[in-house]
Amino acid sequence: MSEEAEVLFEKRGVAGIITLNRPQALNALTLNMVRLIHPKLREWADDDAVQCVIVEGAGDRAFCAGGDIRALHDWGRAGDRSAIDFWREEYLLNTYIKRYPKPYIALMDGINMGGGVGLSVHGSHRVATERLTFAMPETGIGLFPDVGGTYFLPRCPGETGLYLGLTGARLKAADAIFAGIADCYVPSAKLGELKDRLAGGAPVRTALGEVAVEEGPAPLRDIQKDISAHFSKGSVAEILASLRADGSEWAVQTADTIEAKSPISTLVAFRQIREGAALDFEDCMKLEFRLTNRFATGHDFFEGVRAVVIDKDQSPKWNPARLADIDAAEVDRYFAPLGENELSFG
């Protein structure tokens, strides 16, 4: 397969269609894909014949399961700046999607995590199907919920975003809609009809209204009271203490889940999501770029990828190993400005 085939571009009627074309890798996002998508979006933004953009994933398993973390691991281990280039260019693409001047319709059909979230959640119209599995699982690989998680997670209802960011909880369509991560539910069998209507020039809202159906109950809504009670605390330690004191099966499992993640990732994610509530989108992306630069020179990202992706023993040896072993100054270091290396939108 040629590199160009990692992404397919098509103009159909008045629609520009982007297809992530790595189905064997669950359409995981590569640096090459970022470098193909961004200029095409700019081209179509200036093309009067293109009235909307549709983004989808090839195959029936995933929209995009995340960034190509194996490549990021290998680049980092080799001291190759391509890892930092990937994050920089990915974040600039995320920002461009957020500010895109035309309707941008993401068809979230199948697994959508990490880098895929950055290609979809910031679009103007986010379509969920019955096959959607959404998650931000980054703290489980020694990273943090990036690709704009700093912005959209604190804007989920109540403390839902912090819960998602610290636990990596997986959501289906109804929960994604409740959380504000998706806008409507369209059965996967209707996606072809939706694309035809959009390509034929139907207004996006009209086209969606003709194929969308009721998404059904959202289990996430049912635990909002519990999420708010525990995740509104002022620190990760207080959240865990509250969950342990609760003692319910859900609370204990939630505490166990958080404690299995990278301790430094967990503390960084807590502060990141709290701070993101008061930042605009560009400042959120600048903050994330600072964080990725620090994680790229740390221990836990490489250990997390080893345990989950390379050796697949699911037994990462985090360092520091416990939340209590990390002081505030260590967390502060991750958030320090990068000077002349800051993310620039110029």
Side-chain angles (χ1 to χ4, degrees):
M1 180 182 292
S2 66
E3 284 191 350
E4 290 72 22
E6 287 188 340
V7 189
L8 305 178
F9 300 105
E10 175 190 2
K11 286 173 67 174
R12 185 189 307 175
V14 302
I17 302 176
I18 298 173
T19 303
L20 310 177
N21 193 40
R22 300 183 70 218
Q24 75 287 353
L26 300 178
N27 299 318
L29 186 67
T30 67
L31 179 55
N32 177 61
M33 293 165 77
V34 171
R35 289 175 171 174
L36 292 170
I37 293 169
H38 202 154
K40 182 59 69 172
L41 285 175
R42 290 189 182 279
E43 175 189 323
W44 283 346
D46 294 332
D47 186 344
D48 291 339
V50 175
Q51 295 181 11
C52 66
V53 171
I54 302 167
V55 184
E56 63 183 358
D60 59 6
R61 297 175 61 199
F63 171 76
C64 175
D68 188 350
I69 56 173
R70 178 59 190 266
L72 291 168
H73 169 280
D74 292 350
W75 284 330
R77 282 290 191 218
D80 188 331
R81 290 286 299 180
S82 294
I84 298 301
D85 289 342
F86 174 85
W87 278 310
R88 177 189 294 108
E89 295 180 40
E90 181 186 28
Y91 295 172
L92 292 175
L93 174 57
N94 298 155
T95 306
Y96 190 62
I97 291 169
K98 177 69 174 175
R99 305 302 187 203
Y100 202 62
K102 296 180 178 180
Y104 180 104
I105 305 99
L107 306 183
M108 301 192 296
D109 185 35
I111 299 167
N112 190 20
M113 300 181 184
V117 174
L119 294 179
S120 56
V121 170
H122 308 307
S124 60
H125 300 80
R126 296 84 49 88
V127 176
T129 78
E130 74 281 2
R131 295 192 291 213
L132 172 66
T133 298
F134 169 96
M136 295 296 285
E138 288 81 3
T139 58
I141 57 165
L143 203 57
F144 67 98
D146 65 334
V147 295
T150 310
Y151 184 86
F152 77 82
L153 287 173
R155 288 162 177 81
C156 292
E159 298 294 337
T160 299
L162 186 60
Y163 165 73
L164 297 176
L166 295 188
T167 66
R170 299 187 174 199
L171 306 183
K172 302 302 287 182
D175 280 339
I177 292 169
F178 169 76
I181 289 161
D183 299 304
C184 63
Y185 173 64
V186 176
S188 58
K190 290 280 191 179
L191 293 180
E193 180 181 347
L194 173 60
K195 288 189 288 183
D196 288 343
R197 291 178 182 275
L198 292 169
V204 178
R205 183 169 296 183
T206 301
L208 288 171
E210 290 169 341
V211 296
V213 298
E214 175 60 39
E215 66 269 18
L220 192 60
R221 187 190 304 273
D222 298 335
I223 59 172
Q224 277 302 291
K225 183 177 180 180
D226 293 322
I227 289 173
S228 294
H230 300 298
F231 285 81
S232 59
K233 306 300 182 185
S235 69
V236 174
E238 291 176 72
I239 290 172
L240 289 169
S242 180
L243 289 166
R244 296 294 183 196
D246 179 303
S248 68
E249 181 179 3
W250 174 84
V252 171
Q253 288 180 349
T254 300
D256 288 346
T257 296
I258 294 171
E259 290 184 337
K261 311 295 186 185
S262 158
I264 188 63
S265 293
T266 298
L267 293 180
V268 167
F270 175 87
R271 176 169 163 182
Q272 162 212 356
I273 293 166
R274 284 281 189 259
E275 290 192 3
L279 300 177
D280 65 20
F281 193 85
E282 284 76 5
D283 283 340
C284 285
M285 301 315 294
K286 288 180 180 179
L287 174 55
E288 291 187 8
F289 191 61
R290 293 174 188 171
L291 298 179
T292 50
N293 271 265
R294 273 49 189 255
F295 277 101
T297 59
H299 169 274
D300 277 11
F301 171 63
F302 299 100
E303 173 61 10
V305 176
R306 179 208 63 76
V308 174
V309 177
I310 300 174
D311 296 338
K312 300 182 180 178
D313 58 26
Q314 310 301 322
S315 298
K317 304 298 187 291
W318 305 123
N319 184 23
R322 301 181 308 150
L323 290 161
D325 295 334
I326 304 171
D327 62 23
E330 174 64 8
V331 177
D332 288 345
R333 187 181 70 80
Y334 280 75
F335 289 79
L338 295 172
E340 62 182 17
N341 294 319
E342 291 278 2
L343 186 66
S344 171
F345 299 97

